[in-house]
Amino acid sequence: MDRSIIDKQFRRVPRRPQSSQQAGFEERVRKAISGQHFSKTLDITPLIIEHGQVTMSMPVQPKVYQQMGYVHGGAITSLLDTATGMCAVTLINEDEMTLTTELKVNFLGPGEGDTIIATARTIKDGAKLLIMEAEAMAVFADGSTREVAHMTTTYIRIPRSPQD
Amino acid sequence: MDRSIIDKQFRRVPRRPQSSQQAGFEERVRKAISGQHFSKTLDITPLIIEHGQVTMSMPVQPKVYQQMGYVHGGAITSLLDTATGMCAVTLINEDEMTLTTELKVNFLGPGEGDTIIATARTIKDGAKLLIMEAEAMAVFADGSTREVAHMTTTYIRIPRSPQD
Amino acid sequence: MDRSIIDKQFRRVPRRPQSSQQAGFEERVRKAISGQHFSKTLDITPLIIEHGQVTMSMPVQPKVYQQMGYVHGGAITSLLDTATGMCAVTLINEDEMTLTTELKVNFLGPGEGDTIIATARTIKDGAKLLIMEAEAMAVFADGSTREVAHMTTTYIRIPRSPQD
Amino acid sequence: MDRSIIDKQFRRVPRRPQSSQQAGFEERVRKAISGQHFSKTLDITPLIIEHGQVTMSMPVQPKVYQQMGYVHGGAITSLLDTATGMCAVTLINEDEMTLTTELKVNFLGPGEGDTIIATARTIKDGAKLLIMEAEAMAVFADGSTREVAHMTTTYIRIPRSPQD
């Protein structure tokens, strides 16, 4: 089999051109994240917002520690889920919203360093379901990095009712 | 096939009698949870602590909301993971600790009501791995309830070093 | 908190009464399973078919072995997925079909014995999504049993087109 | 934050140089796959065997169909799990073997075409656990392709006893 066929795997390029209905996704992501109390509780902020790929950042600080002084797995999952949720916002139309139906995290190393960053990208941009993956990485003061977690997750598109 | 054989499935009774090394697990759970900054950030408290089964509670309050006014999926996962983590503490020996290796959540309904409670119980109490499930439920002021999420997760046992 | 509230968790009773549109689900399950070449390849057969709960059986035989002489994890997953798929058939209307969107398996012990049986039951019977769990158990010649695997999975309901 | 830090994410390069103990992994993979009855039942064959990355192929044929004439999700999972299992063989020492502890699959499209190929690669090559991802793709007679499924999975390293 031609190696070029195999090399098509694991590509995460946007599957569909951005439609006019998706225009303004950056503003919608910023509005959504600023309306999230929980992201504020964890001091999560957006670093990069692109069509189908989003990077968020969370400082490593005592309020997210578990009993051993590392970032709690739930806080890491929250960062990953926030990144994929905002990535989903870049893919939906203005009259849609999304709900998380499932997520799965593999933990790769301790949540430590100065900051945890998480990048979400699109596995499938479907008519009904959005499937994403995200990866969290610890960034230390000296710029070195270490892998923390990998997530896959599914969102379902639902119509936004007028009052939402 | 004898129906009684099939009825052995989905049982979640303790697989092994509690050993003397596990004595005092309630005190160890209370110590672990009180040392968790993140649980305090979310106001998570234990309701029931048994050998192989633990129930935790988290109030529904603005600081855990997502942008639609429901509890953020990351906060729900944090509650579930705290319940399973404490359930793991009831199953390990004094000279052991555990690390989460993976978790998967299916979301069943919105995070709402007065309180979310999560009960964790044991699927497999193995020599190397602990496999758990947990379920989160919204409890409303009138005592009515609604299912919120189901999780399965794996912990690995590791030796506790003297200074831990 | 009232213990009776906590005891509502992990219940797997049918969420909705069986509608007239679901009548005849047993016949539809038997028709679906008999149309599955792959189930025949693995000699999977139904043991119990109820509204929202289904048990299937698969013999332990060389053609499903991995290199160590146990049943391959893929064959166990196939049995679990067949059980949940048939369980989904008991919950949908005549004019619907389902697609698996995701599945996650935790392996609990080796696939051995005379027969592996898998029981699927319903976690959520939703308007758009069906969420199920299933458990696989090894049954030995002497009637003793051992747990093999636990799965959670999501199906999406889709309209059946006239020619399906 | 420096974009070059973010670009470190999602890299799947070998984490550690191949040790002398891992030499001969290709031969060990070919021996393992030839000892798998289940892979033969599904006609799964290796296409590419590298240190930390393996591609396997499975023909689309009636014996793996579900009732709608597509490849059964269980057969796709079996192909993915075989690819990751053989990828694990390229990472372990001669005196080790591995057991699957969990797997999660997201289905992206129907199992169709002439052949399904699956490539597995390494997320974490740890001292105790191996975490992998794999992707399955349908290949049609004209060389066109379509994504079928994505999997993440965990293997645990265990010592091989002399008689294995």
Side-chain angles (χ1 to χ4, degrees), chain C residues 35-41, chain D residues 43 59-67 69-72 75:
Chain C
Q36 272 208 12
H37 290 272
F38 189 53
S39 293
K40 284 179 195 161
T41 302
Chain D
D43 298 311
V60 174
Q61 51 186 327
K63 69 177 168 181
V64 294
Y65 286 178
Q66 29 87 304
Q67 66 270 32
Y70 296 112
V71 181
H72 192 281

mmCIF file of all heavy atoms in Angstrom, chain C residues 35-41, chain D residues 43 59-67 69-72 75:
data_model
loop_
_atom_site.group_PDB
_atom_site.id
_atom_site.type_symbol
_atom_site.label_atom_id
_atom_site.label_comp_id
_atom_site.label_asym_id
_atom_site.label_seq_id
_atom_site.Cartn_x
_atom_site.Cartn_y
_atom_site.Cartn_z
ATOM 1 N N GLY C 35 -29.207 -11.115 11.133
ATOM 2 C CA GLY C 35 -28.661 -10.450 9.942
ATOM 3 C C GLY C 35 -27.220 -10.002 10.105
ATOM 4 O O GLY C 35 -26.640 -9.407 9.209
ATOM 5 N N GLN C 36 -26.633 -10.285 11.277
ATOM 6 C CA GLN C 36 -25.255 -9.850 11.556
ATOM 7 C C GLN C 36 -24.263 -10.946 11.235
ATOM 8 O O GLN C 36 -24.083 -11.873 12.027
ATOM 9 C CB GLN C 36 -25.110 -9.500 13.038
ATOM 10 C CG GLN C 36 -25.453 -8.088 13.364
ATOM 11 C CD GLN C 36 -24.675 -7.614 14.582
ATOM 12 O OE1 GLN C 36 -23.745 -8.274 15.033
ATOM 13 N NE2 GLN C 36 -25.066 -6.471 15.101
ATOM 14 N N HIS C 37 -23.565 -10.818 10.132
ATOM 15 C CA HIS C 37 -22.556 -11.819 9.797
ATOM 16 C C HIS C 37 -21.508 -11.935 10.900
ATOM 17 O O HIS C 37 -21.060 -13.028 11.231
ATOM 18 C CB HIS C 37 -21.851 -11.446 8.481
ATOM 19 C CG HIS C 37 -22.711 -11.592 7.287
ATOM 20 N ND1 HIS C 37 -22.814 -12.769 6.585
ATOM 21 C CD2 HIS C 37 -23.536 -10.711 6.675
ATOM 22 C CE1 HIS C 37 -23.646 -12.608 5.576
ATOM 23 N NE2 HIS C 37 -24.105 -11.364 5.600
ATOM 24 N N PHE C 38 -21.103 -10.774 11.466
ATOM 25 C CA PHE C 38 -19.995 -10.808 12.418
ATOM 26 C C PHE C 38 -20.368 -11.578 13.686
ATOM 27 O O PHE C 38 -19.554 -12.316 14.238
ATOM 28 C CB PHE C 38 -19.545 -9.390 12.756
ATOM 29 C CG PHE C 38 -18.271 -9.332 13.553
ATOM 30 C CD1 PHE C 38 -17.120 -9.990 13.121
ATOM 31 C CD2 PHE C 38 -18.202 -8.614 14.735
ATOM 32 C CE1 PHE C 38 -15.935 -9.940 13.850
ATOM 33 C CE2 PHE C 38 -17.024 -8.546 15.468
ATOM 34 C CZ PHE C 38 -15.898 -9.221 15.027
ATOM 35 N N SER C 39 -21.618 -11.424 14.132
ATOM 36 C CA SER C 39 -22.071 -12.195 15.296
ATOM 37 C C SER C 39 -22.023 -13.693 15.001
ATOM 38 O O SER C 39 -21.693 -14.496 15.884
ATOM 39 C CB SER C 39 -23.498 -11.802 15.683
ATOM 40 O OG SER C 39 -23.520 -10.485 16.146
ATOM 41 N N LYS C 40 -22.361 -14.049 13.762
ATOM 42 C CA LYS C 40 -22.280 -15.476 13.390
ATOM 43 C C LYS C 40 -20.828 -15.939 13.361
ATOM 44 O O LYS C 40 -20.519 -17.056 13.770
ATOM 45 C CB LYS C 40 -22.930 -15.704 12.029
ATOM 46 C CG LYS C 40 -24.453 -15.693 12.108
ATOM 47 C CD LYS C 40 -25.054 -15.889 10.723
ATOM 48 C CE LYS C 40 -26.528 -15.516 10.740
ATOM 49 N NZ LYS C 40 -27.032 -15.245 9.383
ATOM 50 N N THR C 41 -19.939 -15.083 12.864
ATOM 51 C CA THR C 41 -18.513 -15.423 12.835
ATOM 52 C C THR C 41 -18.012 -15.749 14.241
ATOM 53 O O THR C 41 -17.187 -16.649 14.431
ATOM 54 C CB THR C 41 -17.702 -14.257 12.232
ATOM 55 O OG1 THR C 41 -18.188 -13.995 10.919
ATOM 56 C CG2 THR C 41 -16.215 -14.573 12.170
ATOM 57 N N ASP D 43 -8.438 -11.897 9.228
ATOM 58 C CA ASP D 43 -7.467 -11.663 8.138
ATOM 59 C C ASP D 43 -6.688 -10.353 8.311
ATOM 60 O O ASP D 43 -6.413 -9.649 7.330
ATOM 61 C CB ASP D 43 -8.167 -11.702 6.772
ATOM 62 C CG ASP D 43 -8.799 -13.060 6.500
ATOM 63 O OD1 ASP D 43 -8.095 -14.071 6.689
ATOM 64 O OD2 ASP D 43 -9.980 -13.120 6.125
ATOM 65 N N PRO D 59 -9.183 -6.687 5.544
ATOM 66 C CA PRO D 59 -10.071 -6.582 4.387
ATOM 67 C C PRO D 59 -11.537 -6.424 4.809
ATOM 68 O O PRO D 59 -11.953 -6.948 5.840
ATOM 69 C CB PRO D 59 -9.859 -7.919 3.657
ATOM 70 C CG PRO D 59 -9.304 -8.847 4.674
ATOM 71 C CD PRO D 59 -8.576 -8.020 5.687
ATOM 72 N N VAL D 60 -12.276 -5.671 4.002
ATOM 73 C CA VAL D 60 -13.721 -5.525 4.223
ATOM 74 C C VAL D 60 -14.405 -6.691 3.524
ATOM 75 O O VAL D 60 -14.335 -6.811 2.301
ATOM 76 C CB VAL D 60 -14.209 -4.173 3.651
ATOM 77 C CG1 VAL D 60 -15.729 -4.065 3.745
ATOM 78 C CG2 VAL D 60 -13.533 -3.022 4.391
ATOM 79 N N GLN D 61 -15.013 -7.581 4.311
ATOM 80 C CA GLN D 61 -15.629 -8.774 3.733
ATOM 81 C C GLN D 61 -16.833 -9.167 4.587
ATOM 82 O O GLN D 61 -16.935 -8.794 5.754
ATOM 83 C CB GLN D 61 -14.608 -9.912 3.655
ATOM 84 C CG GLN D 61 -13.879 -10.182 4.964
ATOM 85 C CD GLN D 61 -12.759 -11.209 4.834
ATOM 86 O OE1 GLN D 61 -12.874 -12.125 4.027
ATOM 87 N NE2 GLN D 61 -11.703 -11.062 5.616
ATOM 88 N N PRO D 62 -17.768 -9.925 4.001
ATOM 89 C CA PRO D 62 -19.037 -10.191 4.695
ATOM 90 C C PRO D 62 -18.886 -10.728 6.119
ATOM 91 O O PRO D 62 -19.693 -10.377 6.987
ATOM 92 C CB PRO D 62 -19.728 -11.218 3.775
ATOM 93 C CG PRO D 62 -19.234 -10.849 2.408
ATOM 94 C CD PRO D 62 -17.788 -10.422 2.615
ATOM 95 N N LYS D 63 -17.888 -11.528 6.414
ATOM 96 C CA LYS D 63 -17.848 -12.150 7.746
ATOM 97 C C LYS D 63 -17.641 -11.156 8.882
ATOM 98 O O LYS D 63 -17.787 -11.521 10.044
ATOM 99 C CB LYS D 63 -16.810 -13.281 7.807
ATOM 100 C CG LYS D 63 -15.367 -12.878 7.740
ATOM 101 C CD LYS D 63 -14.476 -14.138 7.880
ATOM 102 C CE LYS D 63 -13.041 -13.826 7.540
ATOM 103 N NZ LYS D 63 -12.165 -15.000 7.634
ATOM 104 N N VAL D 64 -17.295 -9.908 8.563
ATOM 105 C CA VAL D 64 -17.188 -8.887 9.620
ATOM 106 C C VAL D 64 -18.318 -7.854 9.549
ATOM 107 O O VAL D 64 -18.283 -6.850 10.244
ATOM 108 C CB VAL D 64 -15.814 -8.167 9.591
ATOM 109 C CG1 VAL D 64 -14.698 -9.137 9.946
ATOM 110 C CG2 VAL D 64 -15.550 -7.486 8.257
ATOM 111 N N TYR D 65 -19.349 -8.103 8.725
ATOM 112 C CA TYR D 65 -20.441 -7.125 8.584
ATOM 113 C C TYR D 65 -21.401 -7.160 9.779
ATOM 114 O O TYR D 65 -21.661 -8.223 10.351
ATOM 115 C CB TYR D 65 -21.274 -7.420 7.329
ATOM 116 C CG TYR D 65 -20.620 -7.068 6.017
ATOM 117 C CD1 TYR D 65 -21.278 -7.335 4.818
ATOM 118 C CD2 TYR D 65 -19.370 -6.475 5.962
ATOM 119 C CE1 TYR D 65 -20.696 -7.028 3.595
ATOM 120 C CE2 TYR D 65 -18.785 -6.169 4.736
ATOM 121 C CZ TYR D 65 -19.452 -6.450 3.557
ATOM 122 O OH TYR D 65 -18.890 -6.162 2.350
ATOM 123 N N GLN D 66 -21.955 -5.980 10.098
ATOM 124 C CA GLN D 66 -23.148 -5.954 10.947
ATOM 125 C C GLN D 66 -24.382 -6.023 10.043
ATOM 126 O O GLN D 66 -24.250 -6.214 8.825
ATOM 127 C CB GLN D 66 -23.173 -4.728 11.879
ATOM 128 C CG GLN D 66 -22.495 -3.465 11.421
ATOM 129 C CD GLN D 66 -23.339 -2.564 10.605
ATOM 130 O OE1 GLN D 66 -23.878 -2.966 9.568
ATOM 131 N NE2 GLN D 66 -23.381 -1.308 11.052
ATOM 132 N N GLN D 67 -25.564 -5.800 10.634
ATOM 133 C CA GLN D 67 -26.794 -6.061 9.865
ATOM 134 C C GLN D 67 -27.055 -5.066 8.739
ATOM 135 O O GLN D 67 -27.917 -5.300 7.893
ATOM 136 C CB GLN D 67 -28.006 -6.151 10.804
ATOM 137 C CG GLN D 67 -28.382 -4.871 11.524
ATOM 138 C CD GLN D 67 -27.690 -4.718 12.876
ATOM 139 O OE1 GLN D 67 -26.565 -5.171 13.082
ATOM 140 N NE2 GLN D 67 -28.369 -4.068 13.786
ATOM 141 N N GLY D 69 -24.623 -4.075 6.610
ATOM 142 C CA GLY D 69 -23.655 -4.268 5.532
ATOM 143 C C GLY D 69 -22.381 -3.447 5.679
ATOM 144 O O GLY D 69 -21.590 -3.363 4.750
ATOM 145 N N TYR D 70 -22.177 -2.837 6.863
ATOM 146 C CA TYR D 70 -20.904 -2.165 7.155
ATOM 147 C C TYR D 70 -20.092 -3.046 8.110
ATOM 148 O O TYR D 70 -20.637 -3.949 8.737
ATOM 149 C CB TYR D 70 -21.156 -0.789 7.802
ATOM 150 C CG TYR D 70 -21.874 0.157 6.897
ATOM 151 C CD1 TYR D 70 -23.182 0.560 7.175
ATOM 152 C CD2 TYR D 70 -21.254 0.673 5.758
ATOM 153 C CE1 TYR D 70 -23.854 1.435 6.336
ATOM 154 C CE2 TYR D 70 -21.922 1.549 4.907
ATOM 155 C CZ TYR D 70 -23.221 1.925 5.203
ATOM 156 O OH TYR D 70 -23.873 2.782 4.369
ATOM 157 N N VAL D 71 -18.812 -2.725 8.242
ATOM 158 C CA VAL D 71 -17.983 -3.496 9.171
ATOM 159 C C VAL D 71 -18.463 -3.226 10.604
ATOM 160 O O VAL D 71 -18.688 -2.071 10.988
ATOM 161 C CB VAL D 71 -16.492 -3.112 9.020
ATOM 162 C CG1 VAL D 71 -15.631 -3.936 9.984
ATOM 163 C CG2 VAL D 71 -16.020 -3.344 7.584
ATOM 164 N N HIS D 72 -18.638 -4.272 11.385
ATOM 165 C CA HIS D 72 -19.111 -4.182 12.772
ATOM 166 C C HIS D 72 -18.129 -3.362 13.611
ATOM 167 O O HIS D 72 -16.909 -3.504 13.462
ATOM 168 C CB HIS D 72 -19.225 -5.602 13.325
ATOM 169 C CG HIS D 72 -19.965 -5.695 14.626
ATOM 170 N ND1 HIS D 72 -19.392 -5.384 15.834
ATOM 171 C CD2 HIS D 72 -21.238 -6.066 14.894
ATOM 172 C CE1 HIS D 72 -20.280 -5.578 16.798
ATOM 173 N NE2 HIS D 72 -21.411 -5.988 16.252
ATOM 174 N N ALA D 75 -15.421 -5.335 15.159
ATOM 175 C CA ALA D 75 -14.316 -5.745 14.280
ATOM 176 C C ALA D 75 -13.347 -4.580 14.093
ATOM 177 O O ALA D 75 -12.123 -4.774 14.054
ATOM 178 C CB ALA D 75 -14.866 -6.226 12.939
#
